[in-house]
């Protein structure tokens, strides 16, 4: 079975971020989720396999922390194919879609 792309969801503690993460996880994606406080990510983590989801607390406005999130995610889950802003559900000009299974980064 082909592995689905790794997705990084920033601001995953928002309601939109939560919904994106849960849909992607249900679809079999490996997902890294971020927020400034780890405790806000627990509702996404509950019941998920440890090899499918990775939670990281970070201030992504700090370039060093952002770079570290990318490095740690790729070390743990593999190359990131898509980054989704959990506040809006979008990646650049692309809106989040539950049918993301074939997505790749440009």
């Amino acid at each position: 079975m082909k592995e689905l792309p790794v997705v990084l969801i920033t601001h995953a503690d928002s309601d939109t971020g939560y919904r994106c993460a849960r849909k992607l996880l249900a679809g079999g994606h490996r997902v890294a989720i971020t927020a400034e406080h780890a405790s806000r990510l627990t509702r996404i983590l509950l019941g998920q396999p440890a090899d499918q989801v990775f939670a990281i607390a970070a201030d992504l406005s700090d370039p060093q922390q952002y770079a570290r999130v990318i490095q740690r995610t790729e070390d743990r889950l593999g190359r990131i194919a898509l980054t989704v802003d959990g506040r809006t559900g979008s990646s650049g000009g692309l809106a989040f879609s539950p049918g993301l299974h074939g997505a790749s980064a440009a």
Side-chain angles (χ1 to χ4, degrees), residues 21-97:
R22 295 300 289 201
K23 286 180 182 179
L24 287 164
L25 289 164
H29 286 271
R30 290 164 291 143
V31 179
I33 53 176
T34 69
E36 286 192 23
H37 303 282
S39 63
R40 295 180 183 164
L41 298 171
T42 57
R43 68 182 182 152
I44 297 170
L45 294 171
L46 293 173
Q48 299 300 323
D51 63 345
Q52 193 177 355
V53 65
F54 184 43
I56 307 168
D59 176 1
L60 298 181
S61 65
D62 177 340
Q64 290 180 331
Q65 288 188 48
Y66 187 80
R68 185 73 176 131
V69 165
I70 299 297
Q71 178 184 0
R72 291 184 65 207
T73 298
E74 292 188 341
D75 288 348
R76 172 90 179 258
L77 299 177
R79 185 179 140 317
I80 298 169
L82 185 68
T83 299
V84 175
D85 184 335
R87 297 170 295 189
T88 63
S90 68
S91 174
L94 303 173
F96 169 76
S97 166

Side-chain angles (χ1 to χ4, degrees), residues 10-25:
T10 63
H11 311 285
D13 55 336
S14 68
D15 288 337
T16 300
Y18 171 79
R19 286 191 301 275
C20 289
R22 295 300 289 201
K23 286 180 182 179
L24 287 164
L25 289 164

